[in-house]
Amino acid sequence: MTPESNPPDGGASEAAGAAKTDPNRQVRGDERRELTERVTVAYDQGRSIRDIASGIGRSYGFVHRLLAEAGVDFRTRGGARKGARK
């Protein structure tokens, strides 16, 4: 494998429809709108913010900020509970 090629990630970045981005570069304009749309679609499909962030090579906070700017209704924390609460 050459240094330029990306190792397989189980399709995580393909599911988000995004390639890894340079985490030190600002994303602006049309590129930011496009990335926001792809991240929003992935989140609406049920992927976690952490999963999306690792798929595109960005931080949790960056992805959370994009989703907030897009006006996404965030899911509650944690998974489904087992059994009734006492």
Side-chain angles (χ1 to χ4, degrees):
M1 190 178 299
T2 63
E4 294 83 29
S5 64
N6 292 330
D9 61 356
S13 62
E14 292 162 7
K20 292 208 180 221
T21 61
D22 179 4
N24 297 317
R25 189 174 64 81
Q26 289 187 346
V27 181
R28 296 181 178 155
D30 291 336
E31 185 180 8
R32 187 177 185 97
R33 280 187 288 281
E34 181 181 318
L35 185 58
T36 300
E37 185 174 327
R38 290 187 305 206
V39 164
T40 302
V41 167
Y43 187 76
D44 287 342
Q45 291 174 346
R47 292 187 57 208
S48 70
I49 296 175
R50 290 193 192 286
D51 187 34
I52 297 167
S54 78
I56 64 172
R58 289 293 195 151
S59 70
Y60 175 97
F62 178 80
V63 173
H64 189 278
R65 190 175 320 114
L66 287 180
L67 292 170
E69 289 172 2
V72 168
D73 290 328
F74 291 102
R75 296 187 293 266
T76 58
R77 292 176 52 152
R81 294 184 184 266
K82 296 180 182 178
R85 278 182 96 178
K86 295 182 181 183

